[in-house]
Amino acid sequence: MDMSRQLRDFNAVAARWDQEPRRVQLASAVSEAIIRNAGPSQAMRVLDFGAGTGLVTLALAPLVQQMVAADSSQGMLEQLTAKLADAGITNVLPFLLDHAGPVSLPGPFDLIVSSMTMHHIADPGTLFGLFHAAMRSGGQLCIADLESEDGSFHDDPTGIYHNGFSVAEMEDYFTKTGFVNVRTIQVTSVKKGREGTAREYPVNLTLGTAQFSWD
Ligand SMILES: C[S@@+](CC[C@H](N)C(=O)[O-])C[C@H]1O[C@@H](n2cnc3c(N)ncnc32)[C@H](O)[C@@H]1O
C-alpha cells in the first residue's frame, strides 16, 4: 500500500509535539527568517496554514493585528488554544480545516505563511491558487519546507506526499499561480542520525508577492 496516501495522525502526537527541541528550533529559525524578509506589521492579517501547535503563529502574533491559525488536526489546534489561554493572547484565531473537504480560507490576508506542511499536501498547485485568491493586493506568501531529500527524513512515510521540494519546483508553484519577486533562502538545516551517521536536511523559505491583473 502507498503510505503517502494515508492520513497522518497528527492528533496522536499533538500533546508531545513541542517536546522535541528540533521542532522548536526549526520553527524559531523559520519565524526569524519570515520576520526579517517579509516584515510583518501591526496592520496585517496573517494566515499560518498548517499552524500545528502554533510554534510559528505565536512568534508572529505580537507583531501583527490578527493571526488565523489553520490546521486540519483538532488535537494540534487544542494544544495551540491552551497556549493562547495560558499566555492571554487574544489576536489568534484557531481555524479547523476539513482534511478531506474543499479548503475555504477566511481571507483577505496581507501575509500567508506555512512551515513544514507543504510536503503533506497532495496537490500544492491547487492550494497555492487558493492562497493567491485569499490575498490582498501586494500580499506576501512565505513557504518553508525541506529541500528535496531521498525520503529518509521521516521515519514513517504515512501522509508524506513529497520528499521535500527543489528550489525550482517550489518557485514554480509560486510563479504559476501569480506570485512575483519570488526568491528562496536556506533558513536552517535539521540534523538527524541516519544509519550511524548524522544527516543534514536543509530547510528553505520561499517568498513571493501576490500580483493581480489590475495591479
Ligand atoms: C509537520 S507539522 C508542522 C506544524 C507547524 N507548522 C510547525 O512548524 O510546528 C504539519 C501540520 O500540517 C497540518 N496539516 C497536514 N495536512 C493538512 C491539510 N491538508 N490541511 C491543513 N493542515 C494540514 C498537520 O495537522 C500539522 O499540524
Side-chain angles (χ1 to χ4, degrees):
M1 183 190 300
D2 180 355
M3 294 307 285
S4 71
R5 300 314 184 240
Q6 301 295 303
L7 190 59
R8 196 177 184 86
D9 188 2
F10 280 100
N11 292 329
V13 294
R16 299 188 311 275
W17 189 260
D18 291 3
Q19 289 168 16
E20 175 61 67
R22 173 170 55 72
R23 293 187 183 127
V24 178
Q25 285 156 13
L26 169 51
S28 163
V30 168
S31 305
E32 280 170 27
I34 292 171
I35 292 166
R36 244 190 343 269
N37 290 281
S41 72
Q42 287 298 335
M44 289 185 175
R45 273 195 92 231
V46 181
L47 170 69
D48 183 1
F49 184 87
T53 61
L55 293 174
V56 171
T57 304
L58 292 175
L60 301 182
L63 307 174
V64 304
Q65 183 192 97
Q66 189 187 40
M67 295 279 318
V68 175
D71 203 285
S72 57
S73 161
Q74 174 110 38
M76 295 293 256
L77 289 182
E78 279 167 7
Q79 296 298 315
L80 168 61
T81 303
K83 290 199 252 178
L84 296 175
D86 283 353
I89 295 170
T90 55
N91 69 334
V92 175
L93 175 69
F95 191 82
L96 184 63
L97 291 167
D98 179 356
H99 192 277
V103 176
S104 169
L105 301 172
F109 298 106
D110 304 284
L111 175 63
I112 297 179
V113 305
S114 182
S115 183
M116 296 298 282
T117 298
M118 211 46 65
H119 58 260
H120 295 294
I121 303 299
D123 178 9
T126 298
L127 183 59
F128 273 66
L130 296 173
F131 287 159
H132 190 271
M135 284 285 191
R136 284 201 178 117
S137 181
Q140 296 178 89
L141 177 62
C142 300
I143 305 290
D145 214 316
L146 295 163
E147 170 69 71
S148 16
E149 44 101 18
D150 58 6
S152 60
F153 181 84
H154 293 93
D155 297 324
D156 169 9
T158 308
I160 310 296
Y161 287 91
H162 311 269
N163 294 328
F165 300 88
S166 70
V167 171
E169 196 181 358
M170 182 58 85
E171 292 193 349
D172 236 37
Y173 286 124
F174 278 71
T175 49
K176 285 198 170 130
T177 46
F179 291 90
V180 295
N181 191 21
V182 176
R183 70 267 187 212
T184 300
I185 50 176
Q186 186 185 323
V187 288
T188 187
S189 65
V190 179
K191 274 196 193 66
K192 281 193 169 186
R194 289 286 176 255
E195 291 161 4
T197 55
R199 286 278 304 271
E200 297 236 11
Y201 299 88
V203 175
N204 294 328
L205 178 70
T206 304
L207 304 100
T209 306
Q211 191 178 51
F212 296 92
S213 51
W214 55 86
D215 279 338

